[in-house]
Amino acid sequence: MPYRFLEVAVTPSVRAAQANMGVEQIGLGKHDRPSDTLTENEIAFIATRDSFYIASASETRWPYVQHRGGKTGFLKVVDPQTMAFADYRGNRQYVSAGNFAANDRACLFLMDYVRRTRLKVYAHVERLTLDADQSLTDLVSDPTYKGRAERIFKLRLEAYDWNCPQHIIPRYTEQQVEQAVAPLREKLQQLEGENAALRAKLEGRSE
């Protein structure tokens, strides 16, 4: 099957840049792995993300990159070629929302800093009101989240690709750090308890 991600990403100007740098041309022919349908691997990865970066482009052709965050798994996989998330009220500039009205193309970067992994996604974005598709709204809504949802962004997958781990510096969330040090804290408490017991026993002998 053709590797759709490269068909989208590798344009004539990209080919020219590769040639200028002496890079061997990347083939756009048949590949063993899909790039336009999410597999269980991508679906599982997306379900563990609590943020991503999404790029849009305006009528002036200037790109705009926005960070989106929420509870783990807030980006939902509807089916192997569709994703969606609730768009919560932010600084009310609506740059991304406006850009997608003029140009529905988007690029997403989903990062796993701990494992030094990133998933790149090309998609077409559809803006939906909260009452446009109740089943979809129910899927992406989280009544325990403090944000106020204003719309739904529905993403139709065009292509995706996994990026290499080069230059990704590992970073850890507060929760991940807490989980890592929890056994150390338990051990410290145990040792402190044992020390206190030994101290009390020694003090008792000296009386």
Side-chain angles (χ1 to χ4, degrees), residues 68-84:
R68 293 300 175 100
K71 289 189 175 181
T72 300
F74 77 97
L75 177 61
K76 304 295 185 181
V77 175
V78 181
D79 59 55
Q81 292 184 312
T82 310
M83 295 173 288

Side-chain angles (χ1 to χ4, degrees), residues 54 100 104-106 123-127 153-156:
I54 184 168
F100 290 135
D104 71 349
R105 290 174 174 84
H124 295 273
V125 180
E126 180 182 1
R127 304 179 308 164
F153 279 163
K154 185 177 180 181
L155 285 63
R156 177 170 55 84

